[in-house]
Amino acid sequence: MKTLGTFLIASAALMAQGGLNPARLGAPPTDTWPTYNGDYSGRRYSTLSKINQSNINSLTLAWVYRANGAPGGGGGFGGRISATPVEVNGVLYFTMPDHAWAVDARTGREVWHYAWTSHGGDHIGNRGAGVYGNWLYFETPDCNLVSLNLKDGKERWHKPICDLDQYYFGSMAPLVVKNHIITGVSGDDLDRPGYIESHDPETGDLQWRWYTVPQKMGDAGSESWPSEEAMKHGGGMTWLTPTYDPELNMIYVPTGNPQPVIAGKARPGANLFTASVVALNPDTGKMQWYFQSSPHDTHDWDATQTPVLFDGEINGQKRKLVAQASRNGYFFVLDRATGKNLASAEYVKINWSKGVDAKGSPIPNPAKEPQLDGALVSPNQGGGTNWPPPTYDPDTGLFYVSASRAFSVYYIYDPSDKPEGWGGNDRGGWGETMIQAIDYKTGKVKWSHKWEDGGRSGLLSTAGKLLFAGDGSGNLVALDPANGNPLWHANLGSSVTNGPITYELDGTQYLVVAAGDTLFGFAMLR
């Protein structure tokens, strides 16, 4: 591991070459969008306001780029752009499974395209890339971390991050923190423990790894598992990008569901640290605190939704906060220094919980556990929300999330004492979908904007008093963040499949969003 002095010298050399200054990752995005969520906080809020309520109806389509060389064309999960593009020095970098692109952020013209030679893995989606200096990093479905040169897309190196033979795969957008490239793993098909790890940005060498489940009895959290055998199956995948507080030097890692997924008979207990938000020291990987949102989950509600960081006031006291709208239908607000729960509230109506305990964690209702003859549960398997990123607007003090109110009937297929795989399944469909605007101080929904045809996209809020989202009819929509009233829309021909971003170049503010295999660039052209 390199010393801090070595890191600073290396960073200075990279900056001289025109690469990304790591300090930009902690600042609100303006002329860049340098990391998955725009900055470390996960707020997806932009201070730009040249596009605003007074002129939104003049917003014009400036360019279109179709990434139709990737597997699946425009159909299926593998052929859609789930990634949030990263914009650095006037170039957009984005990914799809096994592929990375650079396109001009002003014109949409392709700069380069890199194709990884795949050896398999799950191609369900890829969330994007991370940038450090002059280098780009992304994960492949067959368990590799690949580093490319920003300028020409040439491969520098690749390093294994998981074992494809154990049905892991890579899909997380790496997080860059100081001299650490933070990566996570995906995979529910074969019962294995999840983990998150850090790699050297220059060599790719492993710096540390933290498992989301204890590795042996006596480890922290092992009391929530019945045996070491159960922990070896574990679960808790880490497939969504963490957030980071530079002042506290903590990364906030959202973890996935325990395994076996549906049949939990062989793993009685809370199953820490699955379905949790966990604070780690990014230099060592050591856990600082945790909060579990779904103890002993049996509904496939991984809690990998973005932990959003902001400073606010609770009961008259100023606090450093982290908030999450979790897949299980609950909204949580925590003190991000200590993990203490400050609020737990339903943001969609649910029926699986009997309330919350003294620590703010939900209390599962045994009657809503999967049954041989089925149990009707809300939210459904897709969750009250899913992976599409939320946004927090400091001007309104509201947390916005793409939400759903629906039901699934959960069945047990494997009633044995040691079920394997999922051990069951669910049957159900989508119900009503909406944008929920949540008052973080109370957890109450201030307003709700329902979509007639479904739709759960990533969100973006701006100082132009705009909230951008995608509906179920192929429209990119701008809403008033104060009340949810629609202000503008543009039909993209397909539903929004990522989180919109915005940036300003040469005095022009751009808005970029993906639908299917296509990127759309909007601008207020002069």
Side-chain angles (χ1 to χ4, degrees), residues 447-503:
W447 59 255
S448 180
H449 181 90
K450 295 183 179 179
W451 303 119
E452 292 184 3
D453 299 318
R456 294 207 296 190
S457 77
L459 306 178
L460 169 72
S461 58
T462 77
K465 300 188 185 306
L466 296 170
L467 172 65
F468 291 98
D471 68 10
S473 300
N475 293 303
L476 173 63
V477 181
L479 304 174
D480 186 328
N483 52 38
N485 292 337
L487 302 171
W488 170 89
H489 74 276
N491 191 272
L492 308 178
S494 180
S495 295
V496 171
T497 52
N498 75 341
I501 70 169
T502 190
Y503 50 87

Side-chain angles (χ1 to χ4, degrees), residues 142-434:
D142 59 358
C143 286
N144 284 278
L145 174 64
V146 179
S147 178
L148 307 177
N149 287 311
L150 281 183
K151 182 178 179 181
D152 54 16
K154 301 295 184 184
E155 183 179 327
R156 298 173 59 232
W157 48 253
H158 62 269
K159 295 282 185 175
I161 57 173
C162 50
D163 186 348
L164 184 61
D165 291 338
Q166 296 187 43
Y167 281 68
Y168 290 104
F169 65 97
S171 66
M172 188 186 101
L175 174 68
V176 177
V177 173
K178 296 188 282 189
N179 64 328
H180 308 293
I181 309 300
I182 311 294
T183 64
V185 292
S186 307
D188 268 348
D189 293 328
L190 193 64
D191 299 339
R192 288 293 183 269
Y195 55 86
I196 191 163
E197 59 187 26
S198 175
H199 293 261
D200 186 293
E202 296 185 37
T203 65
D205 292 342
L206 182 67
Q207 295 171 327
W208 55 258
R209 173 183 288 184
W210 182 79
Y211 280 94
T212 60
V213 298
Q215 294 299 286
K216 63 182 184 301
M217 300 308 293
D219 287 352
S222 62
E223 70 282 358
S224 66
W225 294 84
S227 65
E228 289 188 9
E229 179 183 0
M231 292 187 293
K232 289 178 181 178
H233 296 285
M237 298 301 161
T238 52
W239 54 276
L240 203 69
T241 306
T243 48
Y244 173 59
D245 184 330
E247 183 179 343
L248 295 174
N249 196 33
M250 291 185 191
I251 59 172
Y252 301 89
V253 181
T255 68
N257 53 272
Q259 296 167 358
V261 178
I262 302 298
K265 190 173 182 179
R267 51 174 177 84
N271 306 145
L272 295 170
F273 299 96
T274 67
S276 300
V277 174
V278 182
L280 302 180
N281 182 310
D283 300 314
T284 64
K286 293 189 180 301
M287 185 175 70
Q288 308 300 297
W289 57 257
Y290 76 90
F291 174 81
Q292 190 172 42
S293 57
S294 286
H296 188 71
D297 174 63
T298 56
H299 299 106
D300 191 27
W301 291 331
D302 46 8
T304 53
Q305 293 67 51
T306 302
V308 180
L309 316 182
F310 54 92
D311 295 343
E313 191 174 285
I314 301 288
N315 297 325
Q317 181 180 356
K318 292 182 178 180
R319 309 189 74 141
K320 294 181 176 296
L321 305 173
V322 54
Q324 184 194 54
S326 197
R327 185 166 168 173
N328 64 13
Y330 272 95
F331 175 72
F332 302 102
V333 180
L334 313 173
D335 184 303
R336 69 175 183 267
T338 65
K340 176 180 172 57
N341 177 271
L342 303 173
S344 297
E346 301 175 20
Y347 65 90
V348 292
K349 188 173 176 56
I350 66 172
N351 71 1
W352 68 273
S353 168
K354 299 172 73 173
V356 298
D357 63 18
K359 294 182 178 180
S361 290
I363 304 169
N365 182 352
K368 297 303 178 181
E369 294 291 303
Q371 311 287 335
L372 283 170
D373 56 355
L376 184 67
V377 178
S378 180
N380 69 352
Q381 183 270 342
T385 190
N386 209 287
W387 70 268
T391 183
Y392 171 76
D393 186 336
D395 298 327
T396 63
L398 298 177
F399 183 110
Y400 306 92
V401 61
S402 290
S404 175
R405 164 68 166 157
F407 291 84
S408 283
V409 178
Y410 281 84
Y411 295 94
I412 286 291
Y413 292 165
D414 184 351
S416 67
D417 289 338
K418 293 184 178 181
E420 296 182 355
W422 283 52
N425 214 326
D426 67 280
R427 293 290 183 268
W430 297 102
E432 60 181 7
T433 58
M434 70 288 286

